[in-house]
Amino acid sequence: MIELPTDLPADLVPLSWLVGVWDGTGVIDYGDHALTGEFTHRVSFSHDGGDYLNYSAEAWLHDGGDGSGARTRLVAEMGYWRLSRTAGESDPGPGLLPPLASPVVRTADDVELLRNPEGGFDIEAVIVHADGVSELYLGQIRGPRIDIATDAVVRPASAKAYAAATRMYGLVDGHLLWAWDIAALGHELGAHASARLARAE
């Protein structure tokens, strides 16, 4: 059974089922980079009182079957997830600029007004990879399912070719299931990785 946090700002209630640390395994299969083994994956969603969730994730490929425990890090990423809402004068930014008006405390009724025509909520996720690739995802959350796609990908000249991605997350029988499709290394957008994660914390 999933216990939902009760101390979240109203803006984060639709995302509340994500909060926690999730561990599990998955498989990778993309173009010429098919792997027969599984990888381990750890994902964390947390909050610090802001109108966003903090996100971090790491994944490792276990090398060989000799029991040595050697691991190859596959990805380390971090970012922020939030409902799409136009910033107003009560919001800080850009940069270090303070708000120009008193803070607005939104209620569940205010958040309900943000529902899109499909009955979900539009969301934004900014994810930065350790290799310098930055992704801006746009999409929606509908109950226990999230579908997002890159609106922009920025990468340094030193990074490998990476053009676009989609991600799907879903809560199924208390587990976090996700799938990540990418367009990279000259390939079209296609299946890349998927995993099943259990709540660890």
Side-chain angles (χ1 to χ4, degrees), residues 108-188:
D109 289 338
D110 296 328
V111 174
E112 278 298 310
L113 297 175
L114 298 175
R115 283 196 185 271
N116 60 32
E118 290 81 32
F121 295 93
D122 295 331
I123 63 172
E124 306 163 355
V126 178
I127 299 176
V128 179
H129 301 228
D131 63 2
V133 171
S134 298
E135 302 167 291
L136 169 62
Y137 284 92
L138 303 179
Q140 72 169 334
I141 180 169
R142 294 181 64 189
R145 180 179 171 127
I146 295 171
D147 292 280
I148 53 178
T150 50
D151 183 63
V153 174
V154 178
R155 63 183 178 87
S158 60
K160 293 180 179 179
Y162 182 81
T166 64
R167 301 191 192 202
M168 185 280 296
Y169 296 79
L171 185 64
V172 180
D173 295 330
H175 287 80
L176 180 63
L177 276 59
W178 67 261
W180 184 6
D181 294 357
I182 63 173
L185 306 176
H187 295 286
E188 298 293 324

Side-chain angles (χ1 to χ4, degrees), residues 5-133:
T6 58
D7 58 343
L8 291 177
D11 282 12
L12 295 182
V13 170
L15 297 163
S16 61
W17 56 268
L18 288 168
V19 175
V21 177
W22 304 82
D23 278 323
T25 60
V27 294
I28 302 168
D29 187 0
Y30 184 70
D32 300 329
H33 293 75
L35 298 172
T36 56
E38 292 186 330
F39 67 93
T40 58
H41 196 46
R42 184 174 181 89
V43 174
S44 172
F45 289 94
S46 63
H47 66 97
D48 56 18
D51 60 354
Y52 52 85
L53 288 182
N54 301 300
Y55 165 82
S56 64
E58 295 179 287
W60 302 267
L61 181 66
H62 288 257
D63 299 328
D66 60 4
S68 66
R71 303 189 306 176
T72 299
R73 179 173 288 224
L74 296 174
V75 71
E77 55 185 24
M78 58 192 330
Y80 302 95
W81 295 50
R82 69 175 74 237
L83 291 188
S84 293
R85 179 181 56 78
T86 302
E89 293 196 345
S90 62
D91 296 298
L96 296 176
L97 296 177
L100 298 175
S102 299
V104 174
V105 178
R106 279 174 291 284
T107 66
D109 289 338
D110 296 328
V111 174
E112 278 298 310
L113 297 175
L114 298 175
R115 283 196 185 271
N116 60 32
E118 290 81 32
F121 295 93
D122 295 331
I123 63 172
E124 306 163 355
V126 178
I127 299 176
V128 179
H129 301 228
D131 63 2
V133 171

